[in-house]
């Protein structure tokens, strides 16, 4: 029995003993020495006091038991969280428990040579070449450049690497394993949501490094494209109706139905191989993630990284920069970063 639990018991029992003595016509008072037996009214008062003391004792014991149970539950939850984090890749040292420490030497300029492209891209390139040779304009392409395999290893072209140390959410917002990642959220709204948690949006370089590691992997899981590792290469579904930001969309049946038709998200952390060298999940595919482009000005400070579930590039380095800060889409979400302790 804990000290917190036992002290009220001893005090309460002592009080009950004294009150019990006081109700006896022949017993001495608890204060020591003899005394005159109490009058009938005094005996009745003593009995009432005894009942009240007993009720107070029972309440104190009940409160102590509840507090002890709550402390035990909290300790169990803390132990479970520690055990769960211990079983996950990476470390949260210097970071909140729901974040991962990303630390090492980052290469700003990388050479990643593709040795095999997706058939769809190869056919599109051949079509454009034929049109150009025939003097015809090929027009803008709607086929994304998807590389099936890269030359190993990647090469750092920078003269000097940059030391980096920061924390990143382990999962896409809301950063809860098993939850669907947020979508239909603008860059500005994502920034505010991170700040409300004492965090911030990640920068373009922070996303790169967390995704590829010091080995500068083209994909967070390696050099070969693999739709069984991350949620990528799902068949494209054309949007036919206007969508609104998420909360507003959920209140409009037409918008909600359109989103359900388009949506191919998976719960965060549900693809265990889609994890970075630092232990961050789903940095490729599933949902495009808003980042900050530090050298840009409004409304171009926003960038999208990692790709989404569709047939797009879906790798670590590319940044989509034409989506403005106020834009939002069914394939756009985010996660947060913050400074690590001791940085």
């Amino acid at each position: 029995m804990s000290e917190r639990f036992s002290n009220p018991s001893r005090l309460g029992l002592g009080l009950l003993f004294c009150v019990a003595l006081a109700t006896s016509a022949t017993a001495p008072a608890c204060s020591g020495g003899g005394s005159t037996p109490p009058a009938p009214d005094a005996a009745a008062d003593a009995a009432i006091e005894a009942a009240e003391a007993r009720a107070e004792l029972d309440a104190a014991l009940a409160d102590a038991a509840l507090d002890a149970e709550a402390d035990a539950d909290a300790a169990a939850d803390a132990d479970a969280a520690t055990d769960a984090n211990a079983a996950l890749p990476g470390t949260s040292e210097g970071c909140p428990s729901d974040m991962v420490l990303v630390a090492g030497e980052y290469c700003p300029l990388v050479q990643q040579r593709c040795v095999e492209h997706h058939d769809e891209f190869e056919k599109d390139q051949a079509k454009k070449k034929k049109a150009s040779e025939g003097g015809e304009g090929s027009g803008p392409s709607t086929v994304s450049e998807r590389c099936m395999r890269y030359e190993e290893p990647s090469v750092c072209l920078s003269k000097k690497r940059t030391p980096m140390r920061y924390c990143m959410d382990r999962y896409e917002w809301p950063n809860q394993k098993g939850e669907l990642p947020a979508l239909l959220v603008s860059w500005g709204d994502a920034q505010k949501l991170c700040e409300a948690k004492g965090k911030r949006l990640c920068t373009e370089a922070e996303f790169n490094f967390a995704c590829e590691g010091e080995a500068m992997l083209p994909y967070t899981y390696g050099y070969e494209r693999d739709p069984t590792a991350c949620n990528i290469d799902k068949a494209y579904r054309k949007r036919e109706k206007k969508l609104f930001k998420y909360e507003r969309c959920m209140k409009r049946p037409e918008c909600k139905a359109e989103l359900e038709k388009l949506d191919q998200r998976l719960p965060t952390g549900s693809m265990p191989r889609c994890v970075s060298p630092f232990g961050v999940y789903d940095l490729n595919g599933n949902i495009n993630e808003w980042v900050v482009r530090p050298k840009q000005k409004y409304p171009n400070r926003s960038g999208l990284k990692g790709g989404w579930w569709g047939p797009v590039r879906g790798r670590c380095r590319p940044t989509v920069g034409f989506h403005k800060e106020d834009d939002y889409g069914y394939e756009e979400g985010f996660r947060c970063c913050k400074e690590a302790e001791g940085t």
Side-chain angles (χ1 to χ4, degrees):
M1 183 179 293
S2 68
E3 187 65 19
R4 183 178 182 184
F5 186 88
S6 61
N7 284 344
S9 302
R10 291 197 291 269
L11 291 172
L13 290 173
L15 177 59
L16 286 177
F17 179 71
C18 290
V19 172
L21 288 175
T23 61
S24 171
T26 60
C30 288
S31 59
S35 65
T36 303
D41 289 345
D45 290 341
I48 293 173
E49 290 177 2
E52 291 176 345
R54 187 176 294 107
E56 290 178 1
L57 174 61
D58 290 342
L61 292 175
D63 288 344
L66 289 173
D67 289 345
E69 184 179 354
D71 290 344
D73 289 344
D77 290 343
D79 290 343
T82 300
D83 292 342
N85 283 341
L88 292 169
T91 177
S92 294
E93 182 181 355
C95 302
S97 60
D98 62 346
M99 304 186 84
V100 174
L101 177 66
V102 180
E105 301 288 322
Y106 169 65
C107 179
L109 184 60
V110 170
Q111 175 181 286
Q112 295 172 335
R113 192 187 306 278
C114 182
V115 294
E116 179 186 351
H117 279 101
H118 193 280
D119 287 344
E120 182 186 44
F121 180 75
E122 294 283 11
K123 291 176 181 178
D124 184 66
Q125 291 297 298
K127 182 179 178 181
K128 290 171 67 175
K129 182 179 180 181
K130 183 177 180 180
S132 177
E133 291 174 347
E136 302 175 7
S138 58
S141 176
T142 59
V143 176
S144 180
E145 183 259 330
R146 285 186 282 170
C147 183
M148 304 305 294
R149 183 167 58 88
Y150 280 90
E151 183 178 82
E152 300 183 41
S154 301
V155 179
C156 181
L157 301 179
S158 300
K159 292 181 179 180
K160 188 177 180 180
R161 292 193 179 219
T162 304
M164 299 186 78
R165 188 173 187 273
Y166 55 95
C167 305
M168 176 179 273
D169 284 350
R170 188 180 292 274
Y171 306 107
E172 298 153 317
W173 185 274
N175 196 23
Q176 295 290 330
K177 184 178 181 180
E179 295 285 334
L180 288 173
L183 42 63
L184 292 175
V185 56
S186 70
W187 181 88
D189 288 341
Q191 191 173 49
K192 291 176 183 177
L193 288 167
C194 285
E195 290 172 354
K197 291 284 188 179
K199 304 176 183 180
R200 56 174 173 78
L201 275 183
C202 306
T203 67
E204 185 176 13
E206 285 173 335
F207 187 100
N208 288 345
F209 191 44
C211 186
E212 67 188 20
E214 291 185 322
M216 306 162 289
L217 300 174
Y219 296 103
T220 195
Y221 47 82
Y223 291 88
E224 293 190 29
R225 189 177 185 90
D226 186 354
T228 69
C230 292
N231 185 21
I232 59 174
D233 291 345
K234 298 287 182 65
Y236 177 71
R237 298 174 184 175
K238 184 179 180 181
R239 181 175 64 82
E240 297 176 328
K241 297 179 182 178
K242 179 178 175 61
L243 297 174
F244 300 92
K245 288 186 178 181
Y246 185 76
E247 291 185 2
R248 188 179 177 189
C249 185
M250 292 299 98
K251 296 176 183 178
R252 294 171 174 249
E254 189 175 57
C255 181
K256 187 176 181 180
E258 180 71 4
L259 178 60
E260 289 174 351
K261 182 193 75 174
L262 298 168
D263 190 6
Q264 297 185 70
R265 292 170 297 170
L266 292 178
T268 59
S270 61
M271 301 190 76
R273 291 173 54 213
C274 193
V275 61
S276 83
F278 296 104
V280 184
Y281 284 85
D282 301 311
L283 286 169
N284 289 153
N286 211 30
I287 201 81
N288 255 327
E289 299 186 27
W290 287 117
V291 296
V292 176
R293 302 167 73 199
K295 296 182 180 179
Q296 300 295 322
K297 296 181 180 181
Y298 177 85
N300 300 311
R301 294 172 295 177
S302 55
L304 286 166
K305 299 285 293 182
W308 46 293
W309 63 75
V312 296
R313 288 178 294 182
R315 55 182 190 265
C316 296
R317 279 277 165 163
T319 300
V320 176
F322 59 82
H323 289 272
K324 307 304 180 185
E325 297 175 29
D326 297 325
D327 289 349
Y328 61 90
Y330 66 88
E331 79 286 12
E332 295 168 6
F334 69 103
R335 77 179 73 216
C336 307
C337 287
K338 71 175 298 179
E339 304 309 316
E341 293 180 3
T343 300

